[in-house]
Amino acid sequence: MDVLWKCGTVALTSMLELWGAIPVGFLLQLPPFLTGLFSAIGAIASAGIVIFLGGSLRSWLMKRVEKKGKNQGRMGRIWEKYGVIGLGLASPLLTGAPLGAAIGISLGAPVGKLMWWMSIGIVLWSIILTVAVAYGLLTFLTP
């Protein structure tokens, strides 16, 4: 039961911010594999909620983007240069999964393709960040 609570905490934290969930998993003394897995699950869930259930959010964002123009900010430049693939791979790290998904929707990314590339980006960054934290901790904890 203790492990379920810890995994749930990591997943819920990851729904808000992938960067924050991985240190939380290590602080809760979860194994690195479970930390990375539940970080990815939480971030993918939050991206999916925004992408598939955010109809009113989508409408609001579309109106806002039309007013300001599509080429604003770092994510707009990534969108212009690399499209949905670049946005999906970069946004989990740069803006977080929910905001990255919202940006993708506002820029007119196809829903299925956006979810696919966001999921790949989330899994990729979950692995990279988990390995980095695990090896960083090993460096400091081994005599």
Side-chain angles (χ1 to χ4, degrees):
M1 190 65 165
D2 190 42
V3 172
L4 289 176
W5 175 82
K6 291 176 181 180
C7 290
T9 301
V10 170
L12 288 173
T13 304
S14 181
M15 289 182 84
L16 300 174
E17 185 60 56
L18 182 63
W19 278 93
I22 293 169
V24 166
F26 282 95
L27 286 172
L28 294 174
Q29 298 177 341
L30 272 178
F33 176 77
L34 290 178
T35 298
L37 177 67
F38 283 95
S39 294
I41 288 171
I44 290 171
S46 67
I49 289 168
V50 171
I51 290 170
F52 294 114
L53 300 178
S56 58
L57 172 68
R58 186 178 303 131
S59 300
W60 177 76
L61 285 169
M62 293 303 285
K63 289 177 188 173
R64 189 163 182 234
V65 168
E66 287 172 4
K67 290 179 186 174
K68 288 189 170 184
K70 290 187 178 183
N71 291 330
Q72 291 193 348
R74 179 184 297 170
M75 297 312 292
R77 289 191 301 273
I78 290 172
W79 172 259
E80 287 295 320
K81 193 168 184 178
Y82 303 107
V84 71
I85 296 170
L87 184 75
L89 294 176
S91 65
L93 182 70
L94 298 177
T95 63
L99 183 57
I103 290 169
I105 289 169
S106 71
L107 293 172
V111 172
K113 199 172 181 182
L114 178 63
M115 187 65 200
W116 173 255
W117 286 106
M118 288 287 298
S119 297
I120 291 173
I122 289 165
V123 169
L124 177 72
W125 286 113
S126 293
I127 292 169
I128 291 170
L129 293 173
T130 301
V131 168
V133 171
Y135 279 116
L137 286 176
L138 284 176
T139 302
F140 289 110
L141 297 178
T142 54

